[in-house]
């Protein structure tokens, strides 16, 4: 779609959103229906491509084959796999590469030993990402950044699904931190918090005066060592 098409489409998209939200107040796809209606109104044909996008680590039709090649997915631990902080920059000039990570999934990676998975031991070996777990005030100048996984997280994995999951977790956490830092440098007057101390976690009880300070719904603040 050309940028001129988007300029025509966006006002209609916004107008259709009101009706779609009223008709479908609980449907998370309401914005997509509004987009489709706007495109129909302008007679803008679309061509669908799913191989330039990744989202579901179990998918066989998304663009994972291009990522798998760069991750070294051969069901063996591959030391040449990218470092966690570099995962989202691994294209390396590849001719074919995905351009979008649609993070509408729950990405989980459990590196605990089998005998410890039923307990809370080695809890810090459990890494995951879901957008609903990110603190809603993450852009506030005083809130810490997300804690990044270990640099060798991808290299540790020995299955395709685990490598894909680790790639998504590394990409999302580091990309979000980079975006938040860029925003703070521009909008926070004076100093801002650059500590990486928020760990996405399974938290069911985060209420009272500590909410938003030492814990968040779905995240916890790592204590100073």
């Amino acid at each position: 779609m050309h940028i001129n098409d988007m300029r025509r489409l966006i006002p209609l998209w916004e107008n259709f959103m009101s009706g779609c939200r009223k008709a479908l107040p609980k449907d998370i796809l309401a914005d997509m229906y509004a987009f489709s209606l706007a495109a129909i109104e302008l007679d803008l044909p679309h061509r669908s491509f799913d191989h330039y996008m990744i989202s579901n680590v179990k998918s066989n039709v998304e663009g994972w084959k291009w990522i798998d090649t760069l991750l070294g997915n051969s069901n063996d631990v591959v030391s040449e796999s990218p470092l966690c902080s570099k995962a989202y920059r691994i294209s390396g000039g590849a001719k074919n590469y995905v351009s979008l990570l649609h993070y509408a999934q729950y990405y989980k990676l459990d590196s605990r030993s089998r005998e410890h998975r039923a307990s809370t031991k080695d809890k810090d070996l459990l890494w995951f990402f879901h957008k609903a777990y990110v603190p809603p005030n993450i852009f506030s100048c005083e809130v810490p950044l997300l804690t990044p996984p270990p640099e060798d997280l991808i290299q540790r994995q020995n299955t395709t699904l685990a490598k894909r999951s680790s790639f998504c977790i590394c990409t999302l956490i580091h990309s979000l931190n980079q975006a938040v830092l860029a925003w703070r440098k521009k909008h926070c007057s004076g100093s801002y918090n650059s500590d990486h101390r928020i760990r996405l976690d399974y938290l069911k009880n985060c209420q009272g005066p500590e909410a938003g300070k030492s814990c968040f719904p779905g995240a916890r603040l790592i204590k100073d060592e």
Side-chain angles (χ1 to χ4, degrees):
M1 180 179 292
H2 193 274
I3 188 172
N4 291 337
D5 294 325
M6 285 299 295
R7 287 171 176 156
R8 297 168 55 210
L9 185 141
I10 288 176
L12 281 176
W13 186 4
E14 181 181 7
N15 290 339
F16 278 119
M17 270 297 299
S18 177
C20 288
R21 292 293 296 273
K22 289 180 180 178
L24 304 165
K26 296 183 179 181
D27 197 327
I28 63 173
L29 301 181
D31 60 322
M32 301 182 192
Y33 298 143
F35 178 93
S36 298
L37 290 172
I40 293 171
E41 182 75 12
L42 295 175
D43 192 25
L44 289 177
H46 283 59
R47 178 174 294 176
S48 177
F49 297 98
D50 57 14
H51 56 289
Y52 289 113
M53 180 274 297
I54 55 173
S55 181
N56 184 353
V57 296
K58 297 181 179 179
S59 173
N60 293 319
V61 296
E62 297 174 358
W64 283 110
K65 63 179 181 180
W66 293 338
I67 298 295
D68 290 344
T69 299
L70 296 171
L71 295 182
N73 279 327
S74 59
N75 293 335
D76 293 314
V77 174
V78 179
S79 59
E80 289 77 18
S81 295
L83 297 177
C84 187
S85 62
K86 308 295 182 183
Y88 66 106
R89 299 177 178 175
I90 64 170
S91 62
K95 182 178 181 180
N96 296 321
Y97 191 64
V98 297
S99 56
L100 177 66
L101 168 53
H102 182 208
Y103 52 102
Q105 313 288 335
Y106 183 96
Y107 301 106
K108 180 180 178 180
L109 188 68
D110 197 339
S111 297
R112 294 174 296 179
S113 60
R114 183 170 298 178
E115 59 269 24
H116 289 161
R117 291 187 181 184
S119 69
T120 58
K121 190 173 182 179
D122 296 334
K123 187 177 181 181
D124 284 345
L125 293 178
L126 193 152
W127 291 91
F128 69 95
F129 185 95
H130 189 282
K131 57 187 178 183
Y133 281 63
V134 177
N137 58 344
I138 190 65
F139 280 95
S140 298
C141 300
E142 69 277 4
V143 175
L145 301 169
L146 300 184
T147 301
E151 282 287 69
D152 63 345
L153 187 69
I154 300 174
Q155 297 173 355
R156 293 181 190 175
Q157 312 312 316
N158 59 5
T159 68
T160 295
L161 290 182
K163 283 180 178 291
R164 290 178 176 183
S165 296
S166 61
F167 171 80
C168 291
I169 292 168
C170 288
T171 294
L172 290 167
I173 290 179
H174 281 283
S175 296
L176 180 58
N177 280 341
Q178 289 294 322
V180 171
L181 271 178
W183 190 93
R184 290 179 182 178
K185 289 177 181 179
K186 184 175 181 179
H187 297 285
C188 295
S189 58
S191 62
Y192 52 83
N193 198 330
S194 59
D195 295 334
H196 296 77
R197 295 177 56 208
I198 292 182
R199 179 70 183 269
L200 300 187
D201 204 349
Y202 294 101
L203 284 186
K204 296 182 179 179
N205 298 314
C206 183
Q207 302 175 355
E210 296 304 313
K213 297 180 181 179
S214 64
C215 72
F216 308 82
R220 62 185 168 91
L221 186 66
I222 297 177
K223 297 180 180 180
D224 293 323
E225 296 183 2

